[in-house]
Amino acid sequence: MKISRIDLFDDAVFNAWHAAASEGVGAGRHDPPLYSAAQSAVAYRATDGPYDYELYGAVVDGEIVGTVRVELPKHDNRTLADIEVAVVPAHRRRGIGSALFEHVAERVAELGRTSILGVVNQPIGADEVPGYAFASKFGLTRRNVEMRRILPLPLPEGLLDRLEAKAAAKVGGYRLHAWSGACPEEYAEQYANLKSLLMSEAPNGEMDYEPEVWDVARLRADEKKTEAQGRDLLTVIAVAPGGEIAGHTQLALTREGESRVYQWDTLVLPEHRGHRLGLALKVANLRALVAGYPGRSGVETWNAVQNGPMVSVNLELGFREVERYEEWQRG
Ligand SMILES: CC(C)(COP(=O)(O)OP(=O)(O)OC[C@H]1O[C@@H](n2cnc3c(N)ncnc32)[C@H](O)[C@@H]1OP(=O)(O)O)[C@@H](O)C(=O)NCCC(=O)NCCS
């Protein structure tokens, strides 16, 4: 077994790495939400994005059977390395995962990264996944637990009308404003600021993770990447009576080849809470989704289990539990 660094720009090698990573990361899970090879290539090759990426493969008899993706934040969290180790099921329990982890731990230490973060996905109702014992072996501990949920589409008749009426009773002088694609210039600065608040405002347990640093340049780079990945973005903001943005929600969907939709950020700023804006924003965005993109299969979302207000909105909408998404960290 040999561990090699993957050339991100060599399509054949990259695609082989991506196939092995998808098999390893997705094994045993319900419809795992994985980026396509083309979408991953856009993210990993971007030079103006907020992360540097390094990929490694464990090669046995000329075939990649184990993979690691290393994500290195550039603007914040500069002592952190987010890693995803995966081994295809037929080659597990032979030390390949350990060899990959040790290789990468040495590499990120050289780069000055003192903390390692990894995710373990545990499907609801399945036997305990090996990721727990694996992460423990290398000294990572559980820091945050999120639940992945899916809202099946189409929605039941009348659901959005009923929830819209419920929200309207408390929305008061706030108004909603929706767009698709890039954020209008007039809101860009405030919107970037809202993005940077998500990590400090949304609960993330005991994770050692700094708030992300967003500015208009990062927002625009992110929109450019999303467009290059063939994805559409649907956004709704709530505007307070004084004119400032009080909150937002965002859905992302691939134009062709994938029928699911992703719920990205939803945030209502603390001073604007208590007006059912979380529900109002999500209902408005689901309406835009249903009207503009018929035939989609469902919406995926992740929330920290202790995030009571967001979880209760999602349960009202009909989201169902699929798997636990646990963030484990060392250092
Ligand atoms: C976790 C994973 C990478 C392990 O790969 P692997 O090549 O089988 O790992 P190793 O053979 O090096 O095992 C390392 C340790 O993990 C633990 N482990 C791995 N599989 C296990 C299992 N099925 N049951 C119990 N412990 C297990 C053991 O502690 C093992 O050490 P040991 O062999 O000395 O007992 C692999 O199962 C996988 O790809 N899972 C899905 C992705 C994932 O969870 N990644 C880890 C996120 S941090």
Side-chain angles (χ1 to χ4, degrees):
M1 194 269 298
K2 182 170 163 277
I3 296 179
S4 310
R5 179 142 176 204
I6 302 299
D7 178 352
L8 290 171
F9 293 89
D10 180 329
D11 284 335
V13 173
F14 180 79
N15 289 340
W17 178 93
H18 183 269
S22 301
E23 188 185 345
V25 173
R29 297 172 58 198
H30 170 74
D31 198 11
L34 305 169
Y35 276 35
S36 67
Q39 288 174 329
S40 301
V42 169
Y44 301 162
R45 291 173 184 173
T47 50
D48 58 355
Y51 307 103
D52 284 326
Y53 288 95
E54 293 187 4
L55 308 182
Y56 296 87
V59 181
V60 173
D61 297 333
E63 199 191 335
I64 299 178
V65 298
T67 58
V68 196
R69 185 214 59 207
V70 184
E71 182 180 86
L72 303 162
K74 291 199 291 205
H75 306 315
D76 45 64
N77 293 287
R78 294 172 59 88
T79 55
L80 183 76
D82 188 332
I83 73 168
E84 184 176 78
V85 186
V87 177
V88 301
H91 288 266
R92 290 184 180 174
R93 301 297 332 241
R94 295 177 193 167
I96 293 174
S98 298
L100 285 165
F101 185 94
E102 281 158 7
H103 185 86
V104 157
E106 207 171 294
R107 167 70 180 151
V108 302
E110 268 167 35
L111 294 170
R113 306 274 166 162
T114 50
S115 178
I116 291 181
L117 187 67
V119 166
V120 180
N121 290 290
Q122 171 65 53
I124 301 295
D127 291 342
E128 185 173 302
V129 292
Y132 291 137
F134 181 79
S136 302
K137 176 177 170 183
F138 292 105
L140 284 75
T141 56
R142 179 186 284 116
R143 302 290 178 92
N144 189 38
V145 178
E146 304 221 343
M147 185 62 74
R148 171 183 168 214
R149 292 186 176 83
I150 297 181
L151 174 64
L153 294 174
L155 296 170
E157 198 65 33
L159 176 77
L160 293 180
D161 292 339
R162 189 166 54 73
L163 293 177
E164 188 177 70
K166 180 178 172 186
K170 281 198 175 177
V171 162
Y174 291 85
R175 69 184 169 81
L176 302 183
H177 180 63
W179 67 76
S180 75
C183 176
E185 196 52 44
E186 60 177 308
Y187 293 121
E189 207 160 311
Q190 276 194 75
Y191 196 67
N193 185 42
L194 211 57
K195 286 263 185 194
S196 62
L197 291 174
L198 184 75
M199 285 309 290
S200 47
E201 291 297 339
N204 64 359
E206 305 301 314
M207 262 168 75
D208 192 358
Y209 195 90
E210 294 169 1
E212 290 178 355
V213 174
W214 283 74
D215 56 12
V216 175
R218 179 166 175 179
L219 179 69
R220 295 304 185 207
D222 198 56
E223 290 169 348
K224 192 178 108 193
K225 179 192 79 180
T226 305
E227 177 60 35
Q229 288 176 323
R231 292 182 145 187
D232 283 345
L233 277 178
L234 298 177
T235 307
V236 183
I237 57 169
V239 181
E244 74 276 21
I245 302 185
H248 77 127
T249 192
Q250 197 160 54
L251 292 169
L253 59 157
T254 304
R255 284 193 280 276
E256 280 169 32
E258 188 187 25
S259 69
R260 81 179 93 206
V261 178
Y262 293 90
Q263 173 68 59
W264 283 359
D265 309 12
T266 301
L267 176 65
V268 176
L269 294 175
E271 60 274 30
H272 298 290
R273 291 184 187 158
H275 298 279
R276 293 201 182 130
L277 291 175
L279 181 61
L281 285 162
K282 284 203 163 179
V283 167
N285 220 10
L286 285 169
R287 274 202 196 286
L289 173 69
V290 169
Y293 300 85
R296 295 283 162 160
S297 59
V299 182
E300 303 256 350
T301 195
W302 285 257
N303 303 108
V305 292
Q306 68 275 29
N307 190 348
M310 194 76 273
V311 171
S312 78
V313 166
N314 288 338
L315 295 181
E316 268 192 289
L317 286 163
F319 278 89
R320 298 177 198 157
E321 293 184 355
V322 182
E323 64 187 350
R324 288 159 68 90
Y325 169 102
E326 299 197 358
E327 288 163 304
W328 287 57
Q329 191 173 18
R330 139 175 138 181

